[in-house]
Amino acid sequence: QVQLVESGGGSVQAGGSLRLSCAASTYHVSRKCMGWFRQAPGKEREGVAAISAVSVGAATRYADSVTGRFTISRDNAKNTVYLQLNSLKVEDTAIYYCAATPGLACGGSWSSLAAYNDWGQGTQVTVSS
């Protein structure tokens, strides 16, 4: 089972940036569809971004609410997935989770929690006005 550890969260003012990291052990993140999710207080966990395995083209997927502001990437040598958060808004405040699927491609169900079988513990992102 993949073990995922997120880091990089913190507090930032609106308009600022953060970079979240998700380090994996026991498995290669380059061989999986990897996703980032977030959960705000009182709300359901939602998909933010995903990146497919290298072998199927490493395509990326984004939620409409973050398109153009967030970027998912991967450093295969470090076995780490990143989420760059730019132009942050107060409504981006949430706990951000990294997750891995058992498959290669992030298809139409990439934002479904049920598609992922391994989850990190989360990292808090707080955006103030």
Side-chain angles (χ1 to χ4, degrees), residues 8 10 18 24 27 30 38 40 45 58 62 65 67 78 82 84 91 105-106 120 124 128:
L18 286 171
Y27 207 90
S30 62
R38 67 184 180 185
R45 194 171 298 189
Y62 295 96
S65 59
T67 297
K78 295 183 178 179
Y82 300 99
Q84 178 69 41
E91 52 263 41
C106 304
Q124 176 72 48
S128 59

Side-chain angles (χ1 to χ4, degrees), residues 79-100:
N79 208 29
T80 299
V81 178
Y82 300 99
L83 186 67
Q84 178 69 41
L85 289 64
N86 295 331
S87 302
L88 281 161
K89 304 177 181 180
V90 172
E91 52 263 41
D92 294 320
T93 296
I95 299 174
Y96 284 71
Y97 298 89
C98 175

